[in-house]
């Protein structure tokens, strides 16, 4: 039920397919270099040579000495180094100025620093997420020791004046830490010219493998290891290096010049998509700054009157993968902090999609994409699956004859909201269970935050299942909107499970 005639992957800001050269480099290490790079014998020395070559290759792409590159498990680990770096600041430099639109991999470590006594000050973006040096100047004072500003935003594609930020901070005795995950491969990244003190990168954003990243530390910049243990990476990062992933990262990095060369074509296709979408829906709002102030293949769109969770399911039904503008990682269906910081309302944020095209995106893909958006936004298809709002979930609704409730569990091993009474729980990834599902005359799908149910619903719809409804905003949304009903239904479900356990 998860197969489609045509597939378009438009979520490259989340991750990219692993490229041919990266796969080749990884295979060579996995099949021919089993030794630990830290060992002294011949095979270990050969492994160390691969590690050194990878550091040189990445350093060459970033235009910095190889010794300034620290390989990590990914950008999240690299960004968490801010927790080890900030305590090295002078006692009178305990303020950290940052963008409120940073990725959670940076925001969460900053919030931990705030609990440890540092003061966080957020700069204010405009309606398209732009922050400039004048905006930094407005919130600056002499106690600022660290400026944290990403180079490119993952949701809107907005590019930032990193060189200007670095010059401003240095003139005032402060350091700059820049998350450059979304910039590499999409805009030129010359760390020497930019003048940053610290920068983070992730391989899987440039057609490399997941599970490996890098931290750049300028020569002379204060530094302390974030992870304790062995003396790998010249004592800067403990843990045996994932050599196959690092080799794949380096191979992907060598492809960056070609990615940059294709940026113009990708930007043109993105702009054609925006133009075509506006013809379909003139009231659509573009949250990304078009032109050279934005990544070539990224666009954030607000589509009034359309819930992004439902749109995800409809587009997935047609084989199109995109991202919602609302983050669901908090477990409470909170709107995207990026969009809220830009001034969008919660309703607008929940009507927002992000598309991020890869270099294999073609004119034929563009035509198909616009055809599908026309069907989804203007056609009758939007009425083929029912949407049940929390206010509509009544005892009468739940007691309907022949109604079955199936709850979709994304993470089976983690606790989550209590399913509705009478629900059957099916793991999101249990394909056999979904294929074998016996569907009654009426089916209500629930999930935790409202995204999984529409996707599964439209997948079942493709299989020919009718009379499907989904619970909007998920169970967490129901708990927030109707706490009394939630408490009563949860108690009923717990009593069901208790009786079932006693019967077993």
């Amino acid at each position: 039920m998860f197969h489609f005639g045509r597939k378009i992957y438009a979520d490259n800001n989340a991750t990219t397919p692993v490229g041919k050269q990266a796969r080749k480099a990884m295979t060579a290490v996995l099949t021919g270099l089993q030794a630990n790079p830290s060992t002294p014998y011949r095979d270990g020395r050969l492994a160390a040579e691969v590690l050194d070559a990878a550091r040189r290759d990445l350093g060459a792409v970033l235009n910095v000495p190889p010794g300034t590159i620290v390989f990590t498990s990914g950008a999240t680990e690299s960004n968490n180094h801010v927790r080890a770096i900030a305590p090295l600041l002078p006692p009178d430099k305990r303020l950290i100025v940052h963008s409120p639109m940073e990725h959670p991999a940076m925001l969460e470590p900053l919030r931990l620093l705030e609990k440890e006594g540092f003061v966080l000050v957020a700069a204010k973006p405009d309606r398209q997420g732009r922050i400039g040096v004048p905006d930094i100047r407005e919130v600056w004072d002499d106690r600022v020791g660290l400026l944290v500003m990403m180079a490119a935003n993952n949701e809107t594609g907005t590019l930032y004046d990193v060189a200007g930020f670095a010059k401003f901070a240095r003139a005032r005795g402060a350091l700059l830490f820049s998350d450059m995950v979304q910039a590499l491969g999409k805009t030129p990244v010359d760390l020497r010219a930019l003048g940053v003190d610290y920068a983070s990168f992730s391989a899987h954003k440039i057609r490399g493998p997941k599970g490996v990243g890098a931290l750049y530390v300028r020569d002379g910049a204060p530094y302390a290891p974030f992870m304790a243990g062995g003396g790998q990476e010249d004592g800067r990062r403990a843990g045996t290096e994932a050599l196959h992933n690092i080799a794949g990262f380096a191979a992907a990095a060598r492809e960056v010049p070609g990615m940059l060369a294709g940026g113009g074509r990708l930007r043109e296709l993105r702009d054609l998509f925006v133009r075509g979408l506006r013809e379909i829906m003139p009231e659509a709002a573009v949250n990304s700054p078009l032109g050279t102030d934005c990544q070539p293949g990224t666009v954030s769109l607000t589509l009034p009157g359309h819930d992004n969770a439902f749109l995800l399911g409809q587009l997935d039904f047609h084989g199109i993968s995109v991202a919602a503008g609302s983050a669901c990682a908090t477990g409470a269906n909170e709107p995207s902090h990026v969009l809220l910081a830009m001034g969008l309302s919660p309703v607008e944020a929940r009507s927002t999609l992000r598309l991020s095209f890869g270099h294999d995106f073609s004119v034929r893909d563009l035509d198909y994409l616009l055809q599908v958006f026309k069907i989804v936004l203007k056609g009758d298809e939007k009425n083929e699956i029912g949407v049940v709002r929390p206010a509509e979930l009544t005892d009468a609704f739940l007691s309907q004859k022949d109604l079955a409730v199936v709850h979709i569990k994304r993470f089976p091993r983690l606790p989550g909201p209590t399913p509705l009474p009478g629900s059957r729980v099916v793991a999101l990834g249990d394909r056999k269970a979904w294929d074998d599902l016996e569907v009654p005359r009426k089916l209500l799908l629930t999930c935790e935050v409202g995204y999984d149910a529409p996707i599964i619903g439209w997948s079942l719809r493709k299989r020919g299942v009718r009379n499907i409804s989904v619970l909007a905003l998920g169970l967490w949304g129901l708990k927030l909107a109707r706490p009394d009903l939630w408490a009563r239904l949860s108690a009923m479900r717990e009593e069901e499970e208790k009786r079932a356990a006693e019967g077993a």
Side-chain angles (χ1 to χ4, degrees), residues 127 246 287 303 322 409 488:
R127 184 56 174 72
I246 290 172
N287 305 311
L303 306 169
V322 302
K409 183 74 170 171
R488 182 165 61 83

Side-chain angles (χ1 to χ4, degrees), residues 369-388:
L369 191 62
L370 289 173
Q371 289 173 17
V372 171
F373 265 96
K374 187 173 183 179
I375 293 171
V376 167
L377 297 176
K378 296 299 182 183
D380 294 332
E381 184 182 271
K382 58 187 176 183
N383 300 318
E384 293 184 359
I385 292 183
V387 179
V388 179

Side-chain angles (χ1 to χ4, degrees), residues 123-309:
K124 185 174 177 57
D126 68 10
R127 184 56 174 72
Q128 291 185 310
R130 290 173 292 207
I131 295 176
V133 172
D135 303 302
I136 301 299
R137 184 178 288 111
E138 284 188 9
V139 297
W140 199 271
D141 73 28
D142 293 339
R143 296 172 295 163
V144 176
L146 181 65
L147 174 60
V148 176
M149 292 292 298
M150 61 185 1
N153 188 267
N154 54 297
E155 289 196 31
T156 65
T158 306
L159 297 173
Y160 300 98
D161 180 15
V162 176
F165 295 146
K167 183 178 179 180
F168 180 88
R170 183 173 296 109
R172 290 157 179 77
L175 300 166
L176 172 64
F177 195 135
S178 183
D179 179 332
M180 308 195 84
V181 167
Q182 295 291 343
L184 187 60
K186 299 166 185 172
T187 188
V189 176
D190 183 335
L191 294 180
R192 192 188 303 273
L194 292 173
V196 301
D197 299 292
Y198 312 96
S200 56
F201 301 92
S202 186
H204 74 100
K205 307 295 187 178
I206 58 167
R207 299 180 67 85
K210 298 173 181 64
V212 62
L215 173 71
Y216 163 74
V217 182
R218 178 184 57 78
D219 279 333
Y223 176 79
F226 173 66
M227 295 176 62
Q232 294 87 354
E233 295 296 288
D234 290 331
R236 298 174 298 178
R237 193 271 187 185
T240 300
E241 294 92 346
L243 190 60
H244 61 297
N245 280 344
I246 290 172
F249 189 3
R254 292 194 293 270
E255 302 292 313
V256 163
M259 298 177 193
L260 295 176
R265 184 193 72 87
L266 200 55
R267 182 174 284 113
E268 181 179 348
L269 288 174
R270 179 204 61 193
D271 292 350
L272 286 172
F273 167 71
V274 172
R275 193 178 309 157
L277 186 76
R278 279 174 161 164
E279 291 177 1
I280 297 169
M281 190 178 191
E283 64 270 31
V286 180
N287 305 311
S288 303
L290 300 181
T292 57
D293 288 340
C294 185
Q295 297 170 344
T298 301
V299 63
S300 170
L301 298 161
T302 299
L303 306 169
H306 294 268
D307 184 276
N308 57 15

Side-chain angles (χ1 to χ4, degrees), residues 68 148 208 216 263 336 486:
T68 61
V148 176
Y216 163 74
S336 160
W486 167 263

Side-chain angles (χ1 to χ4, degrees), residues 418-484:
T418 304
L420 298 179
S423 296
R424 175 185 173 184
V425 180
V426 180
L428 176 64
D430 190 346
R431 179 170 175 170
K432 186 177 186 306
W434 290 112
D435 286 340
D436 295 342
L437 184 69
E438 294 183 7
V439 181
R441 290 184 56 191
K442 299 177 183 178
L443 175 65
L444 174 65
L445 295 171
T446 68
C447 60
E448 295 190 3
V449 295
Y451 286 93
D452 296 327
I455 290 174
I456 291 294
W458 280 97
S459 296
L460 291 170
R461 173 65 184 80
K462 189 173 183 68
R463 202 178 82 181
V465 178
R466 299 294 189 273
N467 295 322
I468 302 173
S469 296
V470 299
L471 178 63
L473 304 180
L475 294 180
W476 285 121
L478 175 65
K479 181 178 181 180
L480 292 172
R482 303 184 64 190
D484 293 342

